[in-house]
Amino acid sequence: MTESKSITAQQYNCDILIIGAGASGLSLALKLAPHAKVNVLSKGKLSEGSTFYAQGGVAAVFSESDSVDSHVDDTLIAGAGLCDEEAVRFTVSNAKESMQWLIDTGVNFDTEVDKEGNTQFHLTREGGHSHRRILHAADATGREIENTLLNAVKKHKNITLMEGFNAIDLITSRKLNLPANRVLGAYVWNRNEERVETIKAHFITLATGGASKVYQYTSNPDVSSGDGIALAWRSGCRIANMEFNQFHPTCLFHADAKNFLLTEALRGEGAHLLRPDGTRFMPDFDEREELAPRDIVARAIDYEMKRLGADCMYLDISHKPKEFIVKHFPTIYRRCLSLGIDITHQPMPIVPAAHYTCGGVMIDHHGQTDIDGLYAIGEVTYTGLHGANRMASNSLLECIVYAHACAKDIINRIPFYQERKFADIPAWDDSQVEDSDEEVVIQHNWHELRLFMWDYVGIVRTDKRLERALRRVQMLQQEINEYYSNFKVGNNLLELRNLVQVAELIIRSAMSRKESRGLHYNLDYPEQIDNPKPTILCPQND
Ligand SMILES: Cc1cc2nc3c(=O)[nH]c(=O)nc-3n(C[C@H](O)[C@H](O)[C@H](O)COP(=O)(O)OP(=O)(O)OC[C@H]3O[C@@H](n4cnc5c(N)ncnc54)[C@H](O)[C@@H]3O)c2cc1C
């Protein structure tokens, strides 16, 4: 796109632009609002993001029998030798204060009354945690957090919520051939008015969530298309550890059950994984059978699906009494029944699904990226906390801790910028482009990309599959870039452009790791190497 005058588009000015309205973006907005004018963008409905769907909870040391050291150790073990210990300690040490802030803001975590009659938080335990340390709100913790933060944000006069605005690209001084590299603003697609507008800001924070939608099957909502990672990369930021994609082993496989997770508690209570012919397969893979860790179970399912050419495997708990199933799994029972599956008599069709993006935009402990004034927080980032595998319930924690650290840094810097004039930014020029007459091209490329990412760059990889995927992604990139130059933008095209960029980063990261570690498994390099390092991709070197 070239940049010149557009007649109808609006320009907005703000102190801080936050792109994303999940746990990380909203927490940051609330912290900043007493000090500055903040605009928050969400490309879809305000509450639509992974935060809303988080079930389990948030990890923090609240029990006297637990300790920060123990939480740090558990995280390092889960991260399989690739965590940045400083980042882990920083996050875990700030957990209690961050959770207290959420509680003070109105989040209602579940409580219980102990033997002495004192009310305390009910802490659950999850995979990898050696203590009970998960604060939760029943099995809908994310919804409680998102709704509470949204309510608080809506009351603040310094916060402007912009629903239905997709950030397209960042505007930096380097892109305008000005000295130094500072972020100046962003071009955004106003879905409501169907036009591109400009937002100028002294500071911008990417809080856009993960990129799991790059895979055919995902537990994530549609907005998880890696936009922040692609925007940061195109602006010159380093991206790290993109080969580490966490897959949840059991997502319901049904045309009408988009993204419905089947909790690990089912296997905990004795559910069996079955092939289509009804035989069990986990005993062939691990002595812990169905209770093996997530990545091993996901790999076994993937292996059997590929070996048999099957669309799905099955999860069966029907050998348990009906009353037990209905009492322990009421939501799953009802949901499956509504789809015609009675889990007290029938197995559930399942596939593993992309669940969490461990890598992302490289930041320091304040959320600062490689570009002056540009910050990133939440799932869009690589902080070093997760290493090669994320421990359950550490991700919402990372969102809040880094939102607070980012707020502190911006609050210190804002007085030096508030009086400054905004840079002159050329308005978006779409005078040379037409309305798309071939929406089918976008749809086709969407499906193709997500399918080959699933087949070639999914749970089990080989060098050959990765090479094949890279060739296909490069062809798609060419086609999509051409399309982007010739036609007006819209949500599907913008997301596809970002997804194909993120796909390339995942493939290249996976190709450069010559070992199998944590979530990255390559049949050509099944062993671990000594002294592993994070995979860091630098746009300047491209
Ligand atoms: C089903 C499920 C269960 C989970 N359970 C847990 C759990 O129990 N505990 C835990 O710790 N973690 C859990 N996670 C992970 C956790 O929920 C996420 O890592 C976390 O919520 C991410 O928050 P975020 O603020 O970074 O992004 P999100 O909550 O995903 O929000 C992203 C925001 O960015 C906006 N956005 C994206 N791109 C653009 C753009 N181009 N322009 C404008 N806006 C944009 C979206 O509209 C959205 O508002 C779970 C995830 C899923 C999917």
Side-chain angles (χ1 to χ4, degrees):
M1 290 280 165
T2 52
E3 286 129 12
S4 77
K5 282 264 175 311
S6 163
I7 306 156
T8 48
Q10 281 212 47
Q11 287 217 2
Y12 304 85
N13 295 347
C14 59
D15 293 324
I16 301 127
L17 172 65
I18 300 172
I19 306 175
S24 55
L26 296 179
S27 301
L28 176 64
L30 284 171
K31 282 279 183 179
L32 290 173
H35 307 271
K37 293 229 173 300
V38 184
N39 284 37
V40 181
L41 304 189
S42 77
K43 64 178 171 179
K45 233 176 71 182
L46 274 173
S47 60
E48 188 68 357
S50 287
T51 300
F52 187 84
Y53 297 95
Q55 299 171 348
V58 198
V61 174
F62 268 75
S63 155
E64 279 176 12
S65 62
D66 194 4
S67 70
V68 166
D69 283 341
S70 164
H71 190 175
V72 167
D73 288 347
D74 292 346
T75 305
L76 294 176
I77 292 168
L82 260 195
C83 295
D84 173 341
E85 192 166 343
E86 221 181 288
V88 175
R89 196 159 282 283
F90 171 75
T91 312
V92 169
S93 312
N94 283 294
K96 192 164 185 185
E97 191 187 324
S98 302
M99 289 310 102
Q100 192 56 52
W101 177 81
L102 274 185
I103 295 159
D104 296 343
T105 309
V107 172
N108 275 311
F109 289 120
D110 283 6
T111 54
E112 62 181 359
V113 179
D114 67 13
K115 286 182 199 135
E116 283 81 44
N118 302 316
T119 301
Q120 56 191 17
F121 289 110
H122 178 257
L123 304 169
T124 60
R125 195 167 157 188
E126 285 183 342
H129 291 274
S130 57
H131 287 83
R132 286 187 166 267
R133 63 167 76 103
I134 317 298
L135 290 159
H136 66 106
D139 60 354
T141 311
R143 189 167 62 198
E144 170 68 13
I145 294 176
E146 180 73 20
N147 286 344
T148 306
L149 294 176
L150 259 182
N151 283 340
V153 157
K154 281 177 181 165
K155 288 183 196 140
H156 219 295
K157 65 174 179 17
N158 267 356
I159 303 176
T160 306
L161 289 167
M162 300 175 75
E163 190 174 16
F165 284 77
N166 288 54
I168 302 174
D169 262 321
L170 300 169
I171 304 158
T172 58
S173 43
R174 187 191 285 165
K175 287 185 188 172
L176 299 184
N177 294 323
L178 298 169
N181 200 14
R182 194 166 204 292
V183 76
L184 305 172
Y187 291 118
V188 299
W189 163 244
N190 178 339
R191 285 197 198 191
N192 316 307
E193 303 291 337
E194 299 203 349
R195 66 186 183 211
V196 177
E197 301 181 328
T198 312
I199 303 183
K200 297 181 188 180
H202 295 306
F203 299 94
I204 295 186
T205 300
L206 300 167
T208 48
S212 291
K213 207 178 161 191
V214 75
Y215 289 104
Q216 165 105 330
Y217 302 112
T218 173
S219 65
N220 283 207
D222 285 350
V223 295
S224 304
S225 52
D227 295 7
I229 297 172
L231 262 73
W233 175 257
R234 287 196 291 268
S235 302
C237 294
R238 286 170 304 159
I239 307 290
N241 272 13
M242 290 301 290
E243 69 273 38
F244 297 111
N245 309 103
Q246 190 170 63
F247 291 84
H248 194 287
T250 54
C251 209
L252 189 63
F253 179 68
H254 191 284
D256 300 330
K258 213 172 148 199
N259 314 336
F260 188 67
L261 270 195
L262 297 170
T263 168
E264 294 188 47
L266 282 160
R267 279 178 285 127
E269 295 299 341
H272 291 153
L273 283 161
L274 305 178
R275 299 184 180 98
D277 67 2
T279 53
R280 282 178 73 194
F281 56 89
M282 275 317 296
D284 302 345
F285 288 87
D286 195 285
E287 60 188 16
R288 290 161 288 185
E289 305 180 340
E290 275 80 0
L291 297 180
R294 250 185 207 185
D295 49 328
I296 293 177
V297 178
R299 266 204 300 278
I301 297 171
D302 182 73
Y303 179 85
E304 287 297 310
M305 282 173 62
K306 290 211 169 88
R307 188 176 72 83
L308 298 169
D311 287 338
C312 63
M313 292 286 126
Y314 293 85
L315 184 66
D316 187 19
I317 195 160
S318 63
H319 48 280
K320 293 275 173 187
K322 179 170 180 176
E323 309 75 66
F324 174 87
I325 298 171
V326 177
K327 178 165 177 241
H328 283 83
F329 305 105
T331 313
I332 292 172
Y333 172 70
R334 280 198 303 270
R335 182 81 175 106
C336 287
L337 206 56
S338 75
L339 297 165
I341 305 163
D342 180 349
I343 66 170
T344 62
H345 291 295
Q346 289 169 279
M348 297 157 261
I350 53 105
V351 283
H355 190 52
Y356 186 80
T357 312
C358 290
V361 183
M362 287 188 80
I363 56 167
D364 66 13
H365 289 179
H366 307 292
Q368 171 72 55
T369 68
D370 290 337
I371 297 177
D372 187 24
L374 179 66
Y375 294 77
I377 51 172
E379 193 173 333
V380 67
T381 63
Y382 162 81
T383 61
L385 171 67
H386 307 302
N389 197 354
R390 172 192 74 122
M391 191 165 69
S393 291
N394 266 353
S395 35
L396 281 168
L397 173 63
E398 187 186 42
C399 288
I400 314 297
V401 168
Y402 278 85
H404 290 186
C406 175
K408 261 189 210 151
D409 204 59
I410 294 179
I411 291 164
N412 283 337
R413 295 179 69 191
I414 197 81
F416 301 103
Y417 284 88
Q418 256 163 342
E419 299 309 319
R420 286 199 196 176
K421 271 179 59 187
F422 290 101
D424 283 333
I425 294 179
W428 184 263
D429 176 18
D430 55 10
S431 58
Q432 307 296 314
V433 294
E434 305 165 9
D435 284 323
S436 160
D437 57 353
E438 289 267 23
E439 198 61 26
V440 64
V441 176
I442 298 180
Q443 289 305 324
H444 178 90
N445 287 347
W446 256 105
H447 295 309
E448 188 181 338
L449 174 72
R450 296 178 73 214
L451 185 60
F452 76 66
M453 284 300 287
W454 182 259
D455 285 339
Y456 299 154
V457 199
I459 297 166
V460 177
R461 298 153 181 182
T462 64
D463 279 356
K464 236 190 203 142
R465 288 182 196 166
L466 293 173
E467 280 158 21
R468 234 174 245 156
L470 187 64
R471 279 199 298 277
R472 279 169 169 75
V473 105
Q474 284 166 342
M475 270 165 53
L476 279 186
Q477 266 175 327
Q478 222 178 340
E479 210 167 280
I480 292 161
N481 285 342
E482 224 168 84
Y483 203 92
Y484 182 75
S485 312
N486 293 327
F487 297 108
K488 287 191 176 156
V489 295
N491 183 58
N492 289 348
L493 175 57
L494 291 173
E495 287 189 345
L496 180 62
R497 177 175 175 244
N498 292 330
L499 278 177
V500 83
Q501 178 61 73
V502 168
E504 191 213 329
L505 298 174
I506 295 175
I507 297 166
R508 286 177 42 200
S509 304
M511 286 175 109
S512 67
R513 184 161 294 282
K514 306 293 184 200
E515 62 164 347
S516 290
R517 178 180 299 277
L519 301 165
H520 171 74
Y521 191 78
N522 185 332
L523 288 174
D524 294 317
Y525 312 99
E527 307 297 332
Q528 294 197 345
I529 57 166
D530 296 333
N531 302 318
K533 298 266 179 314
T535 308
I536 299 175
L537 301 177
C538 305
Q540 297 89 307
N541 300 340
D542 272 45

